[in-house]
Amino acid sequence: MDRATSGNGSNHGGAEPERALRPPIASASKTAHTALLLLPNFSLMSVIAAIDVMRHANRLSRKELYRWYTYSADGGAVRASNGLVLNAERLPEQGPTLDNIFVCGGFNPERFKDAAVFRWLRNAARRGVRLGATTTGAYVLARAGLMDGYACTIHWENAASFASDFPDIELRNNLYVIDRDRFTCSGATATLDMFLHMVSEEHGSGLAIGIAEELQVDRIRSSVDEQARAYRVAVLHRSQKLAAAIAAMEGNLDTPLAVNELSLRAGLTRRQLHRLFRHHTHMSPREYYRDLRLRHARLMLMNTITPILE
């Protein structure tokens, strides 16, 4: 089976006629209409993560808190990066009043340059529709001029090219970034975290926790969590010397190098290194080094049996 549809047999979703497994969780009753714009080679896992959070929100609350629609540039079905095909509708000129639009990206987002889609997104922004992106969808929002003055994130593999193409847009290294009415996330599982956060903000943490339990998510990651490799990729194109200093830190986590040694390896004076770190990371070299080592220690605590003292 190579064609996927939403649970009610059409291209949009809503409340499911399922028996709730627990008493309903109190929540507001207004339905939020959410569009998922599928780019060619989109990440199917990211789209499913978004839909499943909304689906469970409806199921647990016994209300239609969210209704979702899948759209594409030409109104036809779209093939995901894994080869599966998802039905989609043409961009609506007149249709449901949308509250949210999420651009669902995948491979090669820099190649997407559909003027009609850009106009549709700009018109939605003027109407006050909240805009978001999953995985690499921020590329399309930026190309449409809709990320100017906003901070965002993107998958670490695309961070260098994004920053090169849009040097004036603040690119962060977080799993997801929420800046006023712009929602961006860096990958498929980060979509899950971002949508759980959205549910928590709109309908309370109790509902978000309930959804996480249904999906067997043991921790809802926050917007301060960073991508595993993004911090280095994001600065590489801007400063090879800073990247060299970070590489030296990464190679000496157990026994940290002195700042003078880091400066020498980066080919900078101590003051230049400090200025470079402050400009790109908003931390001193010592603070960045400490944060890097703490992140490494946290991963070891979570994923190894190494004793805490070690």
Side-chain angles (χ1 to χ4, degrees), residues 132-273:
T134 66
T135 61
T136 63
Y139 229 109
V140 171
L141 292 181
R143 186 77 71 190
L146 295 168
M147 291 308 303
D148 296 345
Y150 289 89
C152 68
T153 189
I154 198 168
H155 193 277
W156 62 265
E157 286 186 336
N158 303 88
S161 60
F162 181 95
S164 178
D165 286 346
F166 309 103
D168 295 329
I169 295 177
E170 182 183 352
L171 181 63
R172 295 181 183 172
N173 310 316
N174 307 78
L175 290 173
Y176 62 94
V177 172
I178 299 173
D179 187 355
R180 292 158 288 168
D181 56 354
R182 297 291 187 270
F183 286 56
T184 55
C185 68
S186 59
T189 58
T191 304
L192 189 70
D193 298 297
M194 183 173 71
F195 270 74
L196 285 170
H197 178 92
M198 182 175 72
V199 170
S200 179
E201 290 293 304
E202 295 173 353
H203 304 291
S205 59
L207 181 57
I209 291 171
I211 297 169
E213 290 175 346
E214 290 292 325
L215 296 175
Q216 294 290 292
V217 175
D218 61 354
R219 184 173 81 92
I220 303 175
R221 296 176 294 181
S222 75
S223 59
V224 301
D225 284 303
E226 292 188 348
Q227 299 183 62
R229 293 180 57 181
Y231 58 88
R232 186 177 169 192
V233 174
V235 301
L236 182 60
H237 77 287
R238 292 178 180 169
S239 174
Q240 292 183 354
K241 292 186 175 182
L242 181 59
I246 291 174
M249 291 177 177
E250 291 174 338
N252 295 272
L253 293 174
D254 292 340
T255 305
L257 300 173
V259 175
N260 287 340
E261 178 63 23
L262 291 172
S263 302
L264 183 63
R265 295 195 182 196
L268 298 168
T269 66
R270 184 186 180 106
R271 177 172 293 184
Q272 287 172 329
L273 184 70

